[in-house]
């Protein structure tokens, strides 16, 4: 039986290797914690799960297929979504290209935890594998965590970074959350529905059907769910069907090598994003695709802060860093003490332009910052040579108010919502169900 599976996977992998080349374009996504929860799931590995090292998989797609373990569903919604996805092969190809830097890591983490590998496809539904995606419910990143649940899973959200977008941190949090939901419901389809709608809502309708003596499987409960959740599992099943046999649906998947795409390196001190990309000999877009959690033009934080780079670029980074011989960061912070400080005055004080100050701090047009705010400014003297202090990183806040309009109430942002993210990354969602417990 294993020989037959091995031959099937090998054939699929060879077919995939003949498809279009890997693309790293990061175009826009379509509209659309308790540490104890890191405990491993009690769910056993699927009997047919093929280990990459054992069977020498050459393509991540084949590795995902070999670890499918969630029972299939086949209904009109699955058929409708399968048709919709397969009717847009170019879109799936773009999403697959965006997924290429992340999939190996996600599959590796799923296998470590003994979880079904088709869960690696969930970001197709959540974010179209755009780490900068932001929903209308303020859910962010590949796995679409809302701020509150991000906090529950120790995903830091401050002025300088949002770990809901970080590849390593958000993946670890998402898998821990999914494991918790599986342990709660004993059913992956209900766990997925709870990931979308919230465990409390799923528990409520399970109890309702139990009281009526009705079944409590996903399809029996689906009519009690809002439309978005009712379609959520069928959408994943549709993607799963297409990945299982892309040729059947005339879909060409970019080949993704079954080896790590990136490696994590330690950040030794504050470093400008532009400098880090330069030292790694990468474009800014490529660098940000692997490090989307950094919100400012400077990367701050202590030894636990990691930068992700492709292996070859990590080697270049270390070599170039050794020969750099200059300041790595050109930014520091400044606390506003005056009740009314204009952006023009700040720019003059720090030898820059108002546009630079606005862009670095996401200050809206025709607005200024209020007293008590901490903003990012260029370094202007040797006294600013040190790193930005950890307590400032964790606690800095900023508030804006309209220029020349003292009676307009200040609008405060603690850098945990939408002010710092471009609207072009938003995903249109049906939020009428008030989902997004995540």
């Amino acid at each position: 039986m294993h020989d037959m599976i091995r031959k099937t996977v090998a054939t699929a992998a060879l077919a995939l290797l003949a498809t279009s080349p890997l693309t790293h374009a990061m175009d826009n996504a379509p509209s659309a914690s308790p540490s104890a929860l890191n405990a491993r799931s009690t769910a056993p590995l699927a009997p047919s799960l093929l280990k990459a090292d054992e069977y020498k998989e050459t393509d991540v797609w084949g590795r995902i297929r070999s670890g499918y373990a969630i029972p299939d569903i086949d209904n009109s919604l699955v058929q409708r979504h399968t048709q919709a996805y397969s009717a847009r092969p170019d879109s799936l190809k773009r999403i697959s290209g965006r997924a290429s830097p992340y999939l190996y890591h996600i599959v590796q983490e799923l296998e470590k935890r003994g979880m079904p590998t088709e869960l690696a496809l969930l970001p197709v539904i959540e974010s179209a594998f755009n780490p900068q995606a932001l929903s209308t419910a303020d859910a962010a990143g590949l796995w679409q965590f809302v701020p509150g649940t991000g906090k529950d899973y120790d995903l830091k959200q401050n002025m300088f970074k949002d770990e809901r977008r970080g590849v390593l941190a958000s993946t670890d949090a998402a898998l821990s959350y999914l494991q918790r939901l599986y342990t709660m419901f004993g059913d992956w389809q209900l766990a997925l529905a709870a990931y979308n709608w919230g465990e409390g809502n799923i528990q409520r309708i399970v109890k309702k059907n139990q009281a009526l003596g009705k079944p409590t499987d996903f399809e029996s409960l689906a009519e009690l769910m809002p439309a978005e959740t009712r379609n959520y599992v069928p959408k994943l099943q549709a993607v799963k069907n297409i990945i299982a046999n892309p040729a059947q649906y005339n879909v060409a998947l970019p080949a993704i090598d079954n080896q790590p795409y990136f490696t994590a390196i330690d950040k030794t001190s504050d470093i400008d994003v532009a400098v880090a990309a330069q030292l790694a000999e990468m474009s800014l877009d490529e660098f940000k695709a692997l490090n989307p959690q950094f919100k400012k033009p400077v990367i701050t934080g202590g030894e636990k802060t990691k930068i992700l780079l492709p292996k070859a670029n990590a080697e270049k980074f270390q070599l170039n860093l050794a020969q750099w011989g200059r300041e790595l960061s050109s930014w520091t912070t400044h606390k506003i003490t005056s009740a009314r400080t204009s952006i023009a005055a700040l720019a003059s004080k720090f030898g820059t332009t108002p546009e630079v100050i606005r862009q670095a701090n996401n200050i809206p047009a025709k607005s200024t910052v209020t007293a008590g705010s901490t903003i990012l400014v260029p370094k202007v003297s040797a006294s600013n040579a040190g790193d930005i202090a950890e307590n400032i990183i964790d606690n800095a806040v900023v508030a804006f108010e309209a220029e020349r309009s003292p009676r307009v109430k200040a609008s405060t942002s603690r850098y945990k919502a939408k002010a710092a993210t471009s609207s072009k990354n938003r995903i249109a969602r049906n939020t009428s169900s008030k989902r997004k417990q995540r």
Side-chain angles (χ1 to χ4, degrees):
M1 178 65 178
H2 277 170
D3 286 342
M4 183 181 301
I5 296 174
R6 189 187 313 180
K7 290 177 181 177
T8 301
V9 172
T11 301
L14 288 172
L16 285 166
L17 288 171
T19 60
S20 59
L22 178 66
T23 175
H24 302 298
M26 295 296 293
D27 56 347
N28 296 332
S31 289
S33 101
S35 59
L37 298 182
N38 288 329
R40 297 295 180 250
S41 171
T42 56
L45 284 168
S48 61
L49 185 64
L50 306 184
K51 290 293 186 182
D53 293 339
E54 182 181 353
Y55 292 101
K56 307 300 180 187
E57 291 279 8
T58 57
D59 191 278
V60 171
W61 299 115
R63 189 173 172 186
I64 291 174
R65 292 186 198 99
S66 67
Y68 279 4
I70 300 175
D72 290 336
I73 57 174
D74 185 10
N75 56 32
S76 59
L77 287 178
V78 173
Q79 294 166 12
R80 182 191 308 170
H81 291 303
T82 303
Q83 171 61 30
Y85 281 120
S86 60
R88 301 175 62 197
D90 289 345
S91 176
L92 275 179
K93 187 175 177 181
R94 284 195 302 273
I95 293 171
S96 300
R98 283 198 295 266
S100 60
Y102 318 120
L103 267 182
Y104 177 93
H105 172 75
I106 295 171
V107 174
Q108 188 91 334
E109 293 304 303
L110 285 167
E111 289 182 348
K112 284 180 184 177
R113 296 167 180 248
M115 298 172 72
T117 51
E118 62 261 57
L119 294 173
L121 305 174
L122 197 58
V124 173
I125 314 303
E126 286 289 345
S127 62
F129 271 102
N130 181 353
Q132 297 292 356
L134 182 69
S135 80
T136 52
D138 287 327
L142 295 176
W143 299 95
Q144 291 289 281
F145 277 94
V146 293
T149 310
K151 283 185 190 177
D152 291 343
Y153 285 84
D154 297 326
L155 297 177
K156 286 193 174 182
Q157 301 156 66
N158 58 41
M159 174 174 167
F160 295 91
K161 68 180 177 182
D162 185 348
E163 287 186 341
R164 295 179 299 156
R165 293 187 170 91
V167 178
L168 301 184
S170 72
T171 296
D172 182 68
L175 301 195
S176 292
Y177 188 26
L178 285 164
Q179 280 184 310
R180 174 177 178 269
L181 294 171
Y182 177 78
T183 300
M184 184 180 295
F185 295 104
D187 180 294
W188 279 115
Q189 292 169 359
L190 291 182
L192 286 163
Y195 187 86
N196 178 258
W197 193 27
E199 59 263 40
N201 289 319
I202 299 300
Q203 287 173 325
R204 175 175 53 80
I205 63 175
V206 165
K207 289 178 181 178
K208 181 176 182 179
N209 266 22
Q210 285 175 335
L212 296 172
K214 293 182 178 181
T216 57
D217 59 286
F218 173 80
E219 293 199 73
S220 299
L221 293 168
E223 64 181 13
L224 301 176
M225 300 175 187
E228 182 182 319
T229 309
R230 190 164 58 248
N231 282 272
Y232 191 72
V233 175
K235 281 183 178 180
L236 181 62
Q237 182 69 55
V239 175
K240 178 178 171 180
N241 291 345
I242 293 170
I243 300 304
N245 194 347
Q248 177 183 336
Y249 299 98
N250 296 315
V251 171
L253 300 174
I256 303 176
D257 290 342
N258 188 28
Q259 59 184 0
Y261 182 88
F262 57 74
T263 185
I265 64 172
D266 295 327
K267 183 188 73 63
T268 55
S269 62
D270 288 0
I271 182 171
D272 290 357
V273 171
V275 171
Q278 181 180 344
L279 293 177
E281 298 183 22
M282 299 171 68
S283 71
L284 272 175
D285 285 345
E286 290 174 319
F287 183 85
K288 289 178 179 178
L290 287 178
N291 301 278
Q293 69 271 34
F294 301 125
K295 296 164 57 177
K296 296 297 182 183
V298 59
I299 300 172
T300 61
E303 295 177 354
K304 293 183 180 179
T305 301
K306 305 290 184 183
I307 295 174
L308 301 187
L309 299 172
K311 184 177 179 181
N313 297 90
E315 293 170 355
K316 293 175 182 177
F317 180 94
Q318 299 293 5
L319 288 171
N320 291 330
L321 178 63
Q323 301 172 24
W324 184 247
R326 285 178 274 162
E327 279 274 351
L328 291 171
S329 170
S330 58
W331 297 92
T332 187
T333 56
H334 172 72
K335 190 162 186 175
I336 305 297
T337 56
S338 172
R340 294 297 296 243
T341 303
S342 72
I343 303 301
L346 286 168
S348 177
K349 179 176 182 177
F350 292 99
T352 187
T353 65
E355 290 71 24
V356 167
I357 296 290
R358 287 189 184 279
Q359 185 174 6
N361 295 282
N362 302 102
I363 301 172
K366 298 182 180 179
S367 297
T368 188
V369 287
T370 61
S373 296
T374 297
I375 63 170
L376 202 64
V377 295
K379 292 179 179 178
V380 293
S381 68
S383 62
N384 300 132
D387 291 349
I388 297 171
E390 195 73 30
N391 67 306
I392 295 177
I393 294 170
D394 291 336
N395 301 307
V397 296
V398 64
F400 311 129
E401 66 179 6
E403 290 180 325
R404 306 186 189 91
S405 300
R407 284 179 287 181
V408 176
K409 187 177 179 181
S411 170
T412 301
S413 166
R414 295 187 68 90
Y415 288 94
K416 295 174 184 174
K418 52 198 174 187
T421 305
S422 171
S423 60
K424 69 181 180 181
N425 290 320
R426 289 190 175 276
I427 303 172
R429 286 187 180 274
N430 173 11
T431 56
S432 60
S433 65
K434 296 185 180 179
R435 54 82 86 184
K436 283 294 177 195
Q437 304 299 315
R438 172 170 33 84

